Every structure is written in C-alpha cells, then in structure tokens.
Amino acid sequence: MTKSLEIIVCGAGITGLGAAIALKRKGHQVSVVEAASQLQEIGAGIQVPPNSSRILKSWGLESKFMAKVMWPKSVAIRRYATGEVIGRTKMNPILQDIYGFPYWFIHRADCQNILYDAAVEAGIQILLGTPIESVDEKGPTVKLQSGQELRADLIVGADGVRSRTRASALKEDVEALESSQCAYRATVPVDLMNSDPSLAHRMTDVNANLWLGPDGHIMGYPIRSGEMYNLVLVSPGKASVGKWNEPADVKEMRSHHANWEPTVQRLLSHVTTCLKWRLAYIPPLERWVSDNGRVVIIGDAAHAMLPLLSQGAAVSIEDGAALAECLDLVIDLVDLSLVLRAFQDLRKPRCETISKAALSLVDLWHLHDGPEQEGRDLKIKQDLINTVVEKTSDSKSSLDTMRDKLVPWMFGYDTVREVSVD
Ligand SMILES: Cc1cc2nc3c(=O)[nH]c(=O)nc-3n(C[C@H](O)[C@H](O)[C@H](O)COP(=O)(O)OP(=O)(O)OC[C@H]3O[C@@H](n4cnc5c(N)ncnc54)[C@H](O)[C@@H]3O)c2cc1C
C-alpha cells in the first residue's frame, strides 16, 4: 500500500501550489512555506496550453479557470514595421479538437490565486511570510530564516530560478544564465482600449498578436475576461534575475519600439507604468534529486526557461502531477530514492528539450530585415509557424520544421499516462 508521506513544499508559486494540490489529492500530508507575506499581483498574462489545462481540469479546477480565462482563436503573427499579418497560428477550438483540452490565456496572479484557494480548501497548510534559509537532505529539514527547523519525509523545492533548495541540498551551484533580453510587462485597461477607435476591437476579437521585429518581439492579448489588454515586450535590456516586479521606465520601454507600426505606437501611448524582468534560464542540471532521495526540485528551480514557447508554467504543473503519480510507488521510505530518480529520468529530458527549443527561437524571432527574415516570413506564410528552428553550424538559418513532432508532443502530453507507461 502507498505510504502517506509528510511533505514540505518550498515556494507557493504556480509550481509549488500545483504540486501541493497534486500531492494532497494522493493522501499525503502537505505544507507549503513561502517567503512572501502575501501573494502579489505581479507578472503578466500567461498562456495555458492543453498539456497543462488537462491537469488543471483533472484537479477539478475547470470552472474556476473558466471564470478567469480568455479563449484565443488564433495568434496573428505580424510584421513590426507595417502590422501586416504574416501568418496565423490557430488555437481554439482547433487545439481542443486535436488534443482534447483547451488553450487559455490568464493573468498569472489569477492562476496563482485559483491554485492558492484550491490548496487552502484541500486543507494544505500554507505558511506565508516564511522564508527558508536552506534545506538539509539529512533529516531532511528545512531551516527557516527565523532559525526554526521543520522536518518531513520529503522536501520539494519549488522556490524558483534562484532556488535555495537547489543550492543547499543538491549542491547544484549554478547561476541562471542571463539572456541579453528583458521582458517588459504592461497592461492597458479596457476603458482606454475602448476609447481608442483603432484599438477597441482588440478587446472583443480574442486573437493574440505577435509582432516580430529586429532584436525584439511583442505579444499582446486581452486578459481578465476582457478587463485589460496584456502586453509583453521583449527587447535587449537589463533587469534582476528572478525578480518579477522591478519597475521599468516607460520611456525606455517605448524607445525599443519607436519605429514599430502605428498600432504598436497607439498601444504603447496608453501605457503609464510597466514592470520588467530579465529573461534567464537554468542550464541542464546534473540532477534534481539529492543523494539520499529526500529532496527534489521542480519548476523554475529545476528548469527555468525562456518564455518563447509559453511552456514554463505548463511543464512546472506537469512536474507536480508527475511527482504525485510517481510517489504512488512508495511503500516504504527506502523506496523514495529510486522512485524520485525515476521521476527525474522521466521529467528532465522533456523539460530540457522544451527549454532548448525555446532558446533556439530567440534569434529567429528577432531577425533584422534581410534575406533570413524574408525566409522566415515565407515559412510563416506557408503555415509553418509551429516550428522550432535551429541555427546550423554554418550559421545559415535553417527552418527545421518540427511542427509535426514538437508541438503535438508538447500539447498532447498526458502526464499521468506517461508515468504509468514509464
Ligand atoms: C515573460 C515571461 C512570460 C511567460 N509566459 C509563460 C506562458 O505563457 N506560459 C507558461 O506556461 N509559462 C510562462 N512563463 C514561465 C512561467 O511564468 C514560470 O515557469 C513559472 O511561473 C514558474 O513558477 P515557479 O513556481 O517555479 O517559480 P516562481 O514563480 O518564481 O515561484 C517561486 C516561489 O518561491 C518563493 N520563494 C523563493 N525563494 C524562497 C525562499 N527562500 N523561501 C520561501 N519561498 C521562496 C517565491 O516567493 C515564489 O513565490 C513565462 C515567463 C516569463 C519570464
């Protein structure tokens, strides 16, 4: 019979809360320790692809999400200088038809709040304002910054890109690799959008827009049931790694897109404040599990990735679901080590493949005008946007179409089934 474990999850981000819910549903005793004293309204809109909406639905959260999400029909890929639509990636209802689960847009804070409420409702103890100092695999114990020590059977590090769990218990002394890119996040309230005749239709026509330009891209879509238009603008810049709410200079943000098409200018003219964060990723780690198998890291702590495939939170939600499934095999504490290694073997290749693919998209999306950009746009026109591109060693940009492999594998992944067949 599966052993009910005492589990401490470090971090109440999307990963930690998701894992806590999945573990509790399996009958484990779960508590979460979170540094922030309250969940903050930070971050931007995030996309919830079918591989994660499948899991959220299985946790009984569909109606909660339905009240907050937008259902995009497509993403229009546009040329930065003219706004011309180069191509369209279809989303709903076609993705639901193909994969059985929808593609949603949601505000990151709404997603985190839904998970938080579900965790509390399930009886999970969440200790806010409780920063951890370190994790010791012996015990294993979590040492809080207050000096207090908490012991458990298993400690799950979901404490983000600058994970203390990773540094202390796994001795994985890695720094996130900082890309040269920075993401600015801004929102435009629906009233302002509606007061501008050139923008109003973007609130009701639920299509995302992705403008590709030299050294940057902009993703825009409505969120919060149409309360605001969400903008994520990626361009070269500096910000702190792992800090989601660093205030940014609006003028600086606008300056990166000064020569972009009129709609972009109209949108940016309505932005009064914005935040920024550094795009960073964790290189492939040697391991996610401590030597004695009592500490495991998941989510951004294990595989923070660039957001170009919109999969970071999705695969982090998968981590929690997969971990809970794997722990079904634990009959005795001595089994933990083996089971967690199996978890690691299942999850690491998937997350690292997606991370690598996201990284390879940066150069492609940010091409300067010229033959390579024209080649890319031609491929997009030919409906090959769902591709992942690799630069060849001779540095000629080759569009290596993986639409038929990578996208179905990302979106169609059934985490629970994968654990049972592995
Ligand atoms: C611009 C951008 C756009 C993105 N868009 C998408 C998207 O569309 N779709 C998608 O799936 N993903 C997207 N992602 C990725 C996604 O946001 C992340 O992968 C996901 O939020 C990571 O969640 P996490 O819980 O692992 O980490 P975090 O969100 O960083 O949470 C970690 C938590 O741990 C806590 N913590 C940290 N240190 C301590 C400590 N010492 N003690 C206690 N608690 C601690 C933190 O306070 C925090 O609450 C995007 C990322 C970026 C940067």
Side-chain angles (χ1 to χ4, degrees), residues 10-17 33-36 39 44-49 52 103 108 112 130-133 145 158-165 183 221 232 234 242 244 277-280 298-301 303-316:
C10 302
I14 290 171
T15 308
L17 292 170
V33 283
E34 164 58 46
L39 298 191
I46 60 166
Q47 304 183 32
V48 183
S52 55
Y103 201 112
R108 174 193 300 275
Q112 197 179 9
T130 312
I132 67 158
E133 181 64 41
Q145 278 180 16
D159 44 352
V161 66
R162 297 179 150 242
S163 167
R164 292 207 174 197
T165 312
Y221 50 82
V232 178
V234 174
W244 298 98
W277 59 90
R278 188 68 168 256
L279 296 190
I298 59 173
D300 274 14
H303 50 69
M305 59 183 70
L306 298 188
L308 281 84
L309 284 168
S310 306
Q311 280 283 331
V315 291
S316 300

Side-chain angles (χ1 to χ4, degrees), residues 125-141:
Q125 186 189 29
I126 304 178
L127 302 170
L128 296 175
T130 312
I132 67 158
E133 181 64 41
S134 58
V135 172
D136 188 344
E137 66 166 336
K138 285 191 229 83
T141 51

Side-chain angles (χ1 to χ4, degrees), residues 155-378:
I155 292 166
V156 179
D159 44 352
V161 66
R162 297 179 150 242
S163 167
R164 292 207 174 197
T165 312
R166 183 181 69 226
S168 52
L170 270 69
K171 313 279 184 302
E172 283 279 6
D173 193 13
V174 300
E175 286 291 323
L177 298 178
E178 299 178 14
S179 79
S180 56
Q181 307 288 322
C182 188
Y184 294 86
R185 177 255 167 158
T187 51
V188 181
V190 62
D191 293 352
L192 272 181
M193 291 290 287
N194 285 343
S195 69
D196 187 329
S198 67
L199 298 178
H201 68 284
R202 297 204 186 267
M203 298 308 293
T204 45
D205 165 27
V206 189
N207 288 295
N209 287 289
L210 171 64
W211 288 267
L212 302 182
D215 296 325
H217 70 270
I218 300 176
M219 184 66 146
Y221 50 82
I223 49 171
R224 287 241 158 108
S225 312
E227 278 175 33
M228 54 181 73
Y229 197 76
N230 173 70
L231 286 165
V232 178
L233 309 101
V234 174
S235 57
K238 285 192 180 0
S240 317
V241 172
K243 209 169 161 198
W244 298 98
N245 56 351
E246 196 169 318
D249 181 348
V250 175
K251 278 197 196 129
E252 175 193 292
M253 180 270 286
R254 284 193 193 126
S255 71
H256 291 300
H257 305 284
N259 57 348
W260 290 38
E261 61 124 334
T263 302
V264 170
Q265 301 309 322
R266 301 283 323 144
L267 279 166
L268 299 192
S269 73
H270 294 301
V271 172
T272 50
T273 58
C274 64
L275 303 172
K276 64 176 174 180
W277 59 90
R278 188 68 168 256
L279 296 190
Y281 61 99
I282 297 283
L285 299 175
E286 211 156 284
R287 63 208 180 118
W288 292 3
V289 180
S290 68
D291 285 338
N292 69 355
R294 294 299 196 93
V295 182
V296 59
I297 53 170
I298 59 173
D300 274 14
H303 50 69
M305 59 183 70
L306 298 188
L308 281 84
L309 284 168
S310 306
Q311 280 283 331
V315 291
S316 300
I317 288 169
E318 286 180 4
D319 285 347
L323 180 63
E325 284 306 308
C326 287
L327 292 184
D328 274 354
L329 298 171
V330 174
I331 312 291
D332 187 280
L333 282 180
V334 294
D335 303 332
L336 259 178
S337 185
L338 214 60
V339 167
L340 288 183
R341 258 170 259 291
F343 165 80
Q344 174 185 289
D345 291 347
L346 178 74
R347 297 299 306 159
K348 239 174 137 283
R350 174 164 168 86
C351 298
E352 287 167 4
T353 301
I354 294 174
S355 180
K356 192 172 163 210
L359 187 60
S360 75
L361 280 177
V362 177
D363 287 349
L364 177 79
W365 282 18
H366 296 180
L367 284 172
H368 283 237
D369 289 356
E372 281 191 275
Q373 162 265 322
E374 284 164 13
R376 175 200 67 193
D377 291 359
L378 192 63

